[in-house]
Amino acid sequence: QKEVEQNSGPLSVPEGAIASLNCTYSDRGSQSFFWYRQYSGKSPELIMSIYSNGDKEDGRFTAQLNKASQYVSLLIRDSQPSDSATYLCAVTSYGKLTFGQGTILTVHP
Amino acid sequence: DVKVTQSSRYLVKRTGEKVFLECVQDMDHENMFWYRQDPGLGLRLIYFSYDVKMKEKGDIPEGYSVSREKKERFSLILESASTNQTSMYLCASRGLLANEQFFGPGTRLTVL
């Protein structure tokens, strides 16, 4: 089992819709959870971090964490074409940051 | 803002050459990391460093070495480049008490 798994994608949503990105992790001791956005040809950019169970909102982005289910998600409300990118889930696992494979999101007008 | 810079955006080298990739951060971060990113394989950790002259192997250290002589600089060395080391190389840094990790712009290395 991979340490961090993301829904395989690619995910395509219409402009204005909610995009839902999901991630599961294997280390129950994980404490820190991150979502990075990566545009094609660019480096990953941190967009959300979450450390405790529940929801964390920042503008159009909401991160959700459920440690009992070992599940973290990212919701993007009112999706825009500029949100089209690869989204990487990252988890502090076994003392280091481990990344999922990424989910490609396309928002079409 | 944290700034992490890498010496080259694009690099082309020949098989067998020694290759140096340089990374500099300006936020006095203790922790620095080197990753490679390949399609279908995601980001994989090569080496990391918690302090000057300290280094730890990541998940895929074979064929690589690192050097950290100064706190702000972390170098990745390919002793004898091979074609399977063609990849995007990403450097990152993180403060001692912080959780967030910040990336440089990346170096796309092609080994012919």
Side-chain angles (χ1 to χ4, degrees), chain B residues 32 48-56 66-68 74:
Chain B
M32 296 187 75
F48 60 101
S49 169
Y50 288 131
D51 203 349
V52 175
K53 297 193 186 296
M54 302 290 287
K55 60 185 179 184
E56 296 284 343
V66 291
S67 171
R68 193 160 180 207
F74 192 35

Side-chain angles (χ1 to χ4, degrees), chain B residues 88-102:
Chain B
M88 170 69 93
Y89 289 88
L90 291 158
C91 175
S93 74
R94 187 179 80 217
L96 182 63
L97 299 177
N99 288 296
E100 293 86 358
Q101 194 164 286
F102 299 92

Side-chain angles (χ1 to χ4, degrees), chain B residues 13-65:
Chain B
K13 295 293 182 181
R14 297 212 172 270
T15 301
E17 280 192 80
K18 190 169 186 175
V19 182
F20 292 87
L21 302 181
E22 303 284 337
C23 175
V24 177
Q25 50 93 5
D26 66 357
M27 285 301 293
D28 202 35
H29 283 173
E30 285 76 11
N31 302 304
M32 296 187 75
F33 308 84
W34 275 107
Y35 295 87
R36 62 178 285 177
Q37 187 174 30
D38 302 286
L41 297 176
L43 272 158
R44 294 180 291 167
L45 182 64
I46 305 171
Y47 265 98
F48 60 101
S49 169
Y50 288 131
D51 203 349
V52 175
K53 297 193 186 296
M54 302 290 287
K55 60 185 179 184
E56 296 284 343
K57 292 181 180 179
D59 299 318
I60 51 163
E62 295 79 18
Y64 303 94
S65 62

Side-chain angles (χ1 to χ4, degrees), chain A residues 40-92:
Chain A
S40 181
K42 302 292 186 182
S43 60
E45 170 194 12
L46 181 66
I47 55 171
M48 288 288 282
S49 56
I50 187 166
Y51 307 105
S52 55
N53 280 328
D55 294 359
K56 179 181 177 182
E57 190 174 314
D58 184 0
R60 297 184 296 110
F61 298 97
T62 299
Q64 299 175 317
L65 176 61
N66 183 327
K67 288 187 178 180
S69 300
Q70 295 174 244
Y71 175 92
V72 59
S73 66
L74 179 70
L75 300 178
I76 306 174
R77 290 183 302 282
D78 188 25
S79 295
Q80 301 297 310
S82 59
D83 295 325
S84 298
T86 298
Y87 289 80
L88 301 169
C89 172
V91 175
T92 304

Side-chain angles (χ1 to χ4, degrees), chain A residues 22-44:
Chain A
N22 304 313
C23 176
T24 57
Y25 58 94
S26 61
D27 180 12
R28 285 199 169 273
S30 297
Q31 295 294 320
S32 306
F33 307 86
F34 307 93
W35 283 99
Y36 285 81
R37 177 177 62 201
Q38 187 175 24
Y39 293 116
S40 181
K42 302 292 186 182
S43 60

